[in-house]
Amino acid sequence: MKIRRVSCILVMVLTFCLFAGCSRNPDQTGTQSIPTDYKGLMKYWKQQADTDTVTCWYTSDGDKAWLETAAKEFEEQYSVKVKLVYYDGVSFFDDMNRVSQSGEGPDVYLMGNDQLGLARDSGMAEENKWLTDAFWKENYPEVAKKAVTYKDKQYGYPVYFDTYCLVYDAKLLKNAPASIDDILAFLDEYEDTGSTKAVFRWDVADSYINSMFLASYANLFGENGDDASAFLINDEKSVAAMKYFQSLSAYLWMDKSNISHDTVRNRIKDGTLVLGLCKSDILPTLYEMEHEKTDYQISYVPSLTEQLSSTTFSTTYSAFVNPYGKDENLGNMFAFYLSYAEAGKQFAGNGKLPVRNLEDEFDSMQAVIYAQYLNSKPVPKVMVLGDYLVQSGIAFDAIWSGADAKEQLDWLQNRMEEKIK
């Protein structure tokens, strides 16, 4: 009888657990009652919401008009008011934490993935448990998922991105060069007929873009850029790439103190540059020039040589949910709305290409930049990223000026190991 009684109790317990598992909240795994599609999730969050107003912080003035339009459409569709707040301070997370304690913090905020480690370690980023792996794969590229992954968990909803591309004068070059070696070969044969054109320029002082020479080979904080201990930058291939970087200083006659992203952009606008490495926000400028006599086109960032490849960094800007906002449900709603529903209007709104894959909706130049993004590496999100950019900038500058590449990378390796400890 005891055995039979225990068996009955076990059956009752298992039955209770089975039914309890079907009604788990979103913080628990195995949920079957939570929708996995866009419309279903938006409806679910709206039903769960406790308020009718969502507050969104943003830090780029260029996002203002786009966000205002998106907020108006969101309010019309979901009867939820959006309070937009432009933040121009210097202590973003400290200020967010302070106002959140008083009940006035944002429900959602826009931020680049390079700040994700700081946001998460400050407790100001809510994990995104809502999107399934299938939804990620169907709608967003792998580089975006890596960008918003920190310690094997996803945060926020990817909205738009920045990376680099090659802009070239199609009147002088029938095809874009596949490598920087090809550019040097063109330079050897190029005769300036009075147009005073520079052949190839980029912001040599920018360690972010110069990392394209190393990112194919160096270990820059692990696969997802979130492991500070995973750093190796003085391996044989990295040294070879930086020796090649150094050799360019003799060919290109560039004074790094007089070249910036703006000067490269202005040379393109003036028609006085053959090839330039540009931020992806060059695209609106090229559209404005279409009625002019110039014919600039966009291509992929070239490899270094046939043997040495290049890999660009990218920054993915996402809408993150503040766990201490007034209403997480509305925070998720507006964040997902910006990421998914507004993707087709993204470029018209602020000149940025959406992260969501719009496939045939991209024109030819947009498709090239998007493909460049797909093959980029997310900028790391570790706390020592700032140290890397500063210290690598010093090393790059010394190498460009003639210092031994191996010695400089050894120095950079040692300096970063000191910071990581």
Side-chain angles (χ1 to χ4, degrees):
M1 291 298 293
K2 281 187 179 180
I3 295 176
R4 183 174 299 175
R5 186 175 302 157
V6 170
S7 299
C8 291
I9 292 174
L10 285 173
V11 170
M12 292 174 65
V13 170
L14 289 172
T15 302
F16 173 79
C17 291
L18 178 63
F19 281 102
C22 292
S23 58
R24 289 173 179 169
N25 62 47
D27 291 331
Q28 296 173 297
T29 57
T31 296
Q32 297 181 8
S33 59
I34 306 299
T36 58
D37 62 301
Y38 173 76
K39 290 184 178 180
L41 279 170
M42 295 296 278
K43 182 179 179 180
Y44 174 82
W45 286 322
K46 183 65 168 64
Q47 292 172 341
Q48 301 296 315
D50 296 321
T51 64
D52 62 355
T53 302
V54 60
T55 300
C56 175
W57 280 17
Y58 66 102
T59 60
S60 173
D61 189 52
D63 287 339
K64 184 176 186 293
W66 158 65
L67 283 172
E68 287 176 345
T69 300
K72 181 179 179 181
E73 294 172 350
F74 182 79
E75 181 176 348
E76 291 173 351
Q77 186 170 354
Y78 296 103
S79 300
V80 175
K81 297 177 182 179
V82 180
K83 180 182 178 182
L84 298 174
V85 177
Y86 175 61
Y87 177 86
D88 59 355
V90 295
S91 302
F92 188 80
F93 296 111
D94 288 340
D95 289 343
M96 187 189 301
N97 181 49
R98 175 177 50 80
V99 296
S100 293
Q101 291 181 26
S102 64
E104 298 300 324
D107 300 292
V108 59
Y109 57 94
L110 294 175
M111 178 188 71
N113 71 284
D114 55 318
Q115 297 293 306
L116 177 54
L118 179 58
R120 182 61 191 90
D121 291 345
S122 301
M124 306 307 294
E126 181 72 12
E127 182 183 351
N128 183 347
K129 298 180 180 179
W130 303 94
L131 304 187
T132 64
D133 288 340
F135 191 94
W136 276 108
K137 187 173 183 179
E138 182 179 355
N139 294 282
Y140 302 100
E142 183 66 19
V143 63
K145 190 175 183 181
K146 287 183 177 181
V148 297
T149 296
Y150 185 71
K151 305 301 182 184
D152 299 322
K153 296 180 180 179
Q154 283 77 54
Y155 297 86
Y157 300 81
V159 181
Y160 60 82
F161 69 88
D162 281 329
T163 189
Y164 287 86
C165 60
L166 180 71
V167 178
Y168 69 98
D169 188 339
K171 288 188 175 182
L172 293 175
L173 290 164
K174 183 177 180 180
N175 298 305
S179 70
I180 295 181
D181 262 2
D182 291 340
I183 295 176
L184 300 183
F186 171 82
L187 174 63
D188 289 339
E189 298 180 1
Y190 176 65
E191 293 185 9
D192 194 334
T193 58
S195 59
T196 63
K197 286 194 175 185
V199 174
F200 184 40
R201 294 288 183 267
W202 77 91
D203 186 352
V204 186
D206 186 345
S207 55
Y208 180 90
I209 187 172
N210 285 337
S211 290
M212 64 172 269
F213 289 87
L214 289 169
S216 296
Y217 308 111
N219 185 353
L220 300 175
F221 310 109
E223 182 69 19
N224 292 322
D226 59 359
D227 183 359
S229 65
F231 186 84
L232 180 63
I233 205 164
N234 57 348
D235 59 289
E236 183 177 346
K237 282 283 192 177
S238 296
V239 172
M242 290 311 292
K243 285 183 177 179
Y244 184 80
F245 169 80
Q246 184 179 70
S247 72
L248 297 177
S249 64
Y251 276 96
L252 301 175
W253 311 300
M254 287 195 293
D255 182 356
K256 61 182 180 300
S257 63
N258 292 327
I259 299 176
S260 67
H261 296 293
D262 287 339
T263 57
V264 174
R265 179 194 298 271
N266 289 335
R267 273 192 169 275
I268 289 172
K269 291 175 70 173
D270 295 340
T272 59
L273 185 65
V274 180
L275 302 114
L277 292 176
C278 301
K279 291 181 179 180
S280 49
D281 62 6
I282 189 67
L283 197 52
T285 298
L286 296 180
Y287 288 143
E288 292 172 3
M289 296 172 59
E290 284 184 331
H291 64 283
E292 300 177 9
K293 295 181 180 180
T294 56
D295 183 17
Y296 282 102
Q297 298 296 322
I298 285 180
S299 185
Y300 310 107
V301 172
S303 64
L304 309 184
T305 67
E306 288 186 359
Q307 292 76 34
L308 295 171
S309 63
S310 66
T311 301
T312 60
F313 272 161
S314 63
T315 302
T316 299
Y317 294 85
S318 303
F320 293 91
V321 177
N322 175 15
Y324 301 105
K326 289 184 177 180
D327 198 319
E328 286 185 34
N329 289 293
L330 294 187
N332 277 289
M333 276 189 75
F334 191 57
F336 199 17
Y337 180 81
L338 293 177
S339 172
Y340 186 88
E342 284 290 302
K345 304 173 184 177
Q346 181 70 66
F347 185 77
N350 66 354
K352 303 288 188 178
L353 288 178
V355 171
R356 183 186 169 198
N357 193 348
L358 298 181
E359 298 178 342
D360 295 339
E361 294 184 41
F362 291 126
D363 66 25
S364 58
M365 287 199 291
Q366 292 172 351
V368 170
I369 292 180
Y370 193 77
Q372 182 73 59
Y373 174 60
L374 298 185
N375 291 287
S376 67
K377 283 189 176 181
V379 62
K381 55 188 76 77
V382 290
M383 298 287 282
V384 293
L385 174 63
D387 294 303
Y388 164 74
L389 293 175
V390 171
Q391 302 299 332
S392 63
I394 295 172
F396 293 157
D397 182 67
I399 293 170
W400 183 263
S401 299
D404 184 89
K406 177 66 164 62
E407 290 180 2
Q408 288 301 310
L409 291 185
D410 287 344
W411 173 85
L412 178 57
Q413 181 72 34
N414 292 332
R415 288 303 299 268
M416 289 307 301
E417 287 178 357
E418 291 174 1
K419 298 290 184 180
I420 291 168
K421 288 180 181 178

